[in-house]
Amino acid sequence: SFYKYYEVFLVPPSHKAIRRDPRINWIAKPVMKHRERRGLTAAGRKGRGLMRKGHSVAKMRPSIRGVWKKHNTLSLRRYR
């Protein structure tokens, strides 16, 4: 097996230098809060199976569980 080492930078989003820098102030926006919890990082998207594109992976989007639930739930419309 191989060991892989990654360099991680922890950036405080409340720091004034971060908020003023136009290249990295996207970190401080409210939309970017808790990206890791919602599975929006590269590793999270890879774990959800969303790294591939095209018609062959249409059954994975928006999520594998969501598509499974849509296909396996009996939907009885109100007026049939």
Side-chain angles (χ1 to χ4, degrees):
S1 67
F2 294 96
Y3 292 103
K4 293 183 180 180
Y5 296 96
Y6 297 96
E7 191 171 358
V8 178
F9 292 98
L10 299 178
V11 180
S14 60
H15 197 277
K16 288 184 180 179
I18 303 299
R19 290 184 175 271
R20 292 175 183 164
D21 192 354
R23 290 177 297 153
I24 55 174
N25 66 355
W26 61 269
I27 297 172
K29 292 184 180 178
V31 177
M32 299 299 169
K33 285 185 177 180
H34 303 293
R35 294 177 69 241
E36 72 283 354
R37 294 184 188 174
R38 295 180 283 144
L40 300 181
T41 60
R45 293 187 58 200
K46 186 176 179 182
R48 290 162 53 204
L50 299 177
M51 296 304 273
R52 298 187 296 169
K53 295 181 181 179
H55 68 278
S56 62
V57 290
K59 295 180 180 174
M60 290 187 179
R61 295 181 184 274
S63 67
I64 296 171
R65 288 187 187 92
V67 172
W68 180 89
K69 186 176 180 182
K70 182 172 67 174
H71 289 156
N72 291 290
T73 303
L74 180 63
S75 177
L76 299 175
R77 303 291 178 178
R78 185 171 177 188
Y79 299 108
R80 291 183 272 164

